[in-house]
Amino acid sequence: AVQAQIRNSSIACTTGSCGTQEMSRNTTASRTAFGHLLPHGFASGTGGNLFLSSPSTRQGLVLDSFTYLTLDVFGSLKTTAPVDGSKTEARFQSPSGAVGTSLTTFVADTLNFCIRTLDSSGAVGTVPVGTPGWPPDQFGNDGVGSSAQFDHPVALAATSDGGTIYIADGNRIRRVDLGRSELTTIAGSGAAGYSEGVGTWAEFSRPMGVALSEGNA
């Protein structure tokens, strides 16, 4: 039988040949050919389950934390457009970093230049910041609602109340105030580099992770 295992932040075939394929419900890592999912993000989702994002299949998977049974699958290989809706209707292009709160799982949809949401009912939405599906002007603008632009969001962190998200976005660390739908750069100039400094005087080169420590990103 073809099996898969989680190893070094990727799921790899242990026997046989596993081409890229969509995942389905009611399968487990111990008996399923996961294919080359190359999972990018893991998060503790609603209900204590594990959320895994798979950019290679354009899907998000919800796994039981104990049995690793695939409980839900969001998205499909069929299209790359940022479509909201039920788990069968929703579409991602490149779901990557994810973070879970008590009510919502947030997912960075990198090449759709937006942040997606999954709620406990299984509905997929989009944070109303930026213009999903449209690449930014240069590094992406700060702003409110559709006047803001993401660069290439890849990693997320969220406050415990789920009111603020921090994003590793291109060469910057940015913040979304969900109550105001406002995107703000808190560190990084947008240009790639390595330079310490305050705010936009600092430089990063494609940071791939972000975390919160006592309220600081």
Side-chain angles (χ1 to χ4, degrees):
V2 179
Q3 295 183 332
Q5 63 183 9
I6 297 175
R7 179 196 301 152
N8 297 332
S9 298
S10 66
I11 292 182
C13 296
T14 55
T15 62
S17 176
C18 297
T20 299
Q21 58 185 341
E22 291 186 2
M23 284 298 298
S24 59
R25 296 180 68 243
N26 301 322
T27 53
T28 64
S30 63
R31 63 181 174 86
T32 301
F34 270 80
H36 300 296
L37 288 182
L38 301 178
H40 192 108
F42 294 91
S44 177
T46 57
N49 296 313
L50 178 68
F51 177 85
L52 179 153
S53 60
S54 169
S56 65
T57 63
R58 301 174 188 148
Q59 291 178 301
L61 312 178
V62 176
L63 309 180
D64 184 283
S65 299
F66 298 99
T67 65
Y68 302 111
L69 183 73
T70 306
L71 303 176
D72 274 317
V73 178
F74 300 80
S76 169
L77 274 169
K78 296 176 183 177
T79 182
T80 62
V83 179
D84 293 341
S86 69
K87 57 195 173 189
T88 56
E89 297 168 334
R91 297 292 183 266
F92 301 87
Q93 176 154 333
S94 51
S96 51
V99 63
T101 67
S102 59
L103 298 176
T104 306
T105 300
F106 298 94
V107 184
D109 196 350
T110 304
L111 294 180
N112 273 327
F113 314 103
C114 60
I115 308 300
R116 313 296 294 280
T117 61
L118 285 71
D119 66 22
S120 56
S121 73
V124 177
T126 301
V127 170
V129 174
T131 306
W134 290 90
D137 299 327
Q138 197 174 17
F139 304 128
N141 304 317
D142 288 350
V144 176
S146 60
S147 67
Q149 294 176 315
F150 290 102
D151 187 347
H152 288 80
V154 294
L156 305 177
T159 55
S160 58
D161 63 1
T164 305
I165 308 171
Y166 293 86
I167 309 112
D169 183 26
N171 298 313
R172 293 178 292 179
I173 304 300
R174 307 177 81 185
R175 176 180 62 215
V176 171
D177 181 330
L178 293 173
R180 292 172 48 84
S181 297
E182 183 175 18
L183 176 63
T184 305
T185 297
I186 61 174
S189 67
Y194 176 77
S195 178
E196 296 182 356
V198 177
T200 56
W201 289 99
E203 290 183 327
F204 299 93
S205 184
R206 295 291 177 183
M208 298 300 291
V210 62
L212 291 181
S213 175
E214 297 181 358
N216 298 312

